[in-house]
Amino acid sequence: VRRALEHGAAVIVEKPMCTTLKDADEFVALGEHSGHRVLYADNVLHAPVMREFLRRVPTIGPVRDLEVRAIHPAPSWRTPLDPTWGGGALLDLGVQALALAVSAAAPAVPRSIEARVGRSGAGSDGVDDHAEMVVTFTDGLRARVVASYRANGVSQWDAQAAGEHGVGHHTHQPHVATPEDEADVPPHHLVGQGSGRRRIVGPDARTRPAEHA
């Protein structure tokens, strides 16, 4: 990232952009100096169901309550609690959940953030496997964000926003079947809004009640 910015290129970075606040400040300063942007792009944030959720949030009026959860078993392709990776659940899953919370709360921007992190099990080396955050935005909204490896084998990626005119609920990894053939519904065909209902959008799909995940 540093070399690209120093040579005058705009840079898009997947998560994590870096592992220290010092490096983050340096990347931003280099981008401003070169006149090019350094952007953080998260694949989960731009998933179709995520984009649909964010498109619908403004329709419920000013957001008064917001909660985002990214709870997922620790990755098997690396040692998740190895400190050389720069962090645990907060760095790995938390950035994705925070990106969604910040996007859903826009145009307000974060004013402060509080976090409580925990670790369990042998060999953690001080790296967190669970984190709970409260993000306070400039409009007074206090959003709760959870990032955790304590999933007990079941992933839970969801978000709920409540406003003056309704509630929007989104599940990134749903397990929903159509009433006709009990086939799984592709995640990008599932959006949530309202209380206790999901709407399946796509060819030949029907609206039906469903429980929140």
Side-chain angles (χ1 to χ4, degrees):
V1 174
R2 184 181 293 107
R3 291 180 62 187
L5 288 171
E6 289 174 343
H7 285 79
V11 181
I12 297 178
V13 189
E14 240 278 28
K15 62 96 176 175
M17 183 175 77
C18 53
T19 57
T20 69
L21 183 59
K22 179 179 179 294
D23 285 343
D25 290 339
E26 181 183 354
F27 293 159
V28 171
L30 282 171
E32 292 176 345
H33 178 73
S34 66
H36 294 279
R37 293 183 176 182
V38 54
L39 304 174
Y40 160 73
D42 189 285
N43 61 324
V44 174
L45 178 64
H46 295 283
V49 69
M50 292 275 198
R51 304 311 301 172
E52 181 64 15
F53 172 75
L54 293 174
R55 186 186 71 81
R56 289 169 173 264
V57 166
T59 67
I60 66 174
V63 177
R64 303 304 185 197
D65 183 77
L66 177 63
E67 182 169 350
V68 182
R69 292 178 291 187
I71 303 172
H72 191 74
S76 58
W77 56 271
R78 67 174 176 87
T79 304
L81 301 181
D82 184 343
T84 61
W85 283 89
L90 181 58
L91 184 72
D92 182 21
L93 304 177
V95 291
Q96 296 171 322
L98 283 168
L100 181 58
V102 170
S103 298
V109 296
R111 187 177 63 196
S112 66
I113 183 168
E114 307 165 42
R116 297 181 63 182
V117 298
R119 61 181 184 271
S120 60
S124 64
D125 292 325
V127 177
D128 59 281
D129 66 355
H130 182 85
E132 297 186 14
M133 296 153 277
V134 175
V135 185
T136 302
F137 291 85
T138 49
D139 62 356
L141 172 67
R142 288 172 59 85
R144 181 173 181 263
V145 180
V146 178
S148 181
Y149 288 145
R150 301 176 188 177
N152 296 321
V154 180
S155 295
Q156 188 172 13
W157 292 69
D158 63 356
Q160 181 163 298
E164 294 180 352
H165 308 302
V167 176
H169 183 267
H170 139 84
T171 301
H172 182 54
Q173 293 184 328
H175 299 284
V176 179
T178 60
E180 291 85 0
D181 56 12
E182 299 301 314
D184 289 337
V185 177
H188 64 277
H189 281 183
L190 184 67
V191 297
Q193 183 160 345
S195 177
R197 294 184 68 84
R198 288 198 182 112
R199 188 153 65 92
I200 301 172
V201 292
D204 303 320
R206 295 204 304 253
T207 300
R208 69 185 180 102
E211 294 182 355
H212 290 308

